[in-house]
């Protein structure tokens, strides 16, 4: 086990920590866009995959999952921009930022 741990530490040092912002938007207040069924599920799947697969090297303390569905509404434009700025400001030089968005696209 000690050899495997050492190999993982070396790999993590090479690829750097990942800071993830995963956003899923099912519900839209704007009538131009219909609501979606699976966008939040997609964002949750990405977030928990990064969290649970050690080789993906997620820094959970800097990462965030934002959802807009029937039970949550924290994936607002303002909150997404706020969390992006926060993650950028907290990310060290050797770390990586991963942004995942699932929802409608628009210009």
């Amino acid at each position: 086990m000690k050899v495997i741990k050492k190999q993982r530490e070396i790999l993590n040092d090479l690829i750097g920590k990942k800071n993830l912002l995963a956003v899923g938007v099912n519900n839209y207040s704007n009538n131009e866009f219909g609501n979606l069924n699976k966008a939040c599920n997609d964002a949750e799947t990405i977030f928990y995959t990064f969290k649970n697969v050690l080789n993906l090297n997620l820094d959970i303390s800097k990462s965030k999952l934002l959802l807009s569905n029937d039970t949550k509404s924290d994936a607002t434009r303002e909150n997404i921009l706020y969390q992006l700025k926060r993650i950028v400001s907290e990310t060290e030089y050797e770390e990586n930022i991963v942004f995942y968005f699932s929802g409608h696209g628009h210009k």
Side-chain angles (χ1 to χ4, degrees), residues 56-106:
L56 292 175
N57 209 20
L58 181 69
D59 186 342
I60 194 69
S61 70
K62 295 180 184 177
S63 298
K64 189 79 173 172
L65 172 63
L66 301 177
L67 302 174
S68 178
N69 56 27
D70 293 335
T71 59
K72 292 188 134 198
S73 60
D74 56 0
T76 63
R77 180 182 189 278
E78 294 79 17
N79 200 22
I80 293 167
L81 292 173
Y82 171 80
Q83 293 298 333
L84 274 172
K85 289 176 187 174
R86 180 194 59 78
I87 286 176
V88 168
S89 71
E90 292 177 2
T91 298
E92 302 294 328
Y93 176 77
E94 65 280 352
E95 296 175 331
N96 300 287
I97 297 172
V98 178
F99 177 74
Y100 178 86
F101 178 83
S102 183
H104 286 298
H106 186 67

Side-chain angles (χ1 to χ4, degrees), residues 19-71:
N19 303 325
L20 170 66
L21 177 59
V23 179
V25 181
N26 281 353
N27 295 356
Y28 287 84
S29 59
N30 186 328
N31 291 334
E32 292 181 38
F33 301 105
N35 288 343
L36 300 172
N37 295 319
K38 301 188 181 195
C40 288
N41 185 54
D42 294 346
E44 287 177 309
T45 298
I46 292 295
F47 185 84
Y48 290 110
T49 298
F50 268 84
K51 181 179 177 186
N52 295 324
V53 177
L54 294 177
N55 287 347
L56 292 175
N57 209 20
L58 181 69
D59 186 342
I60 194 69
S61 70
K62 295 180 184 177
S63 298
K64 189 79 173 172
L65 172 63
L66 301 177
L67 302 174
S68 178
N69 56 27
D70 293 335
T71 59

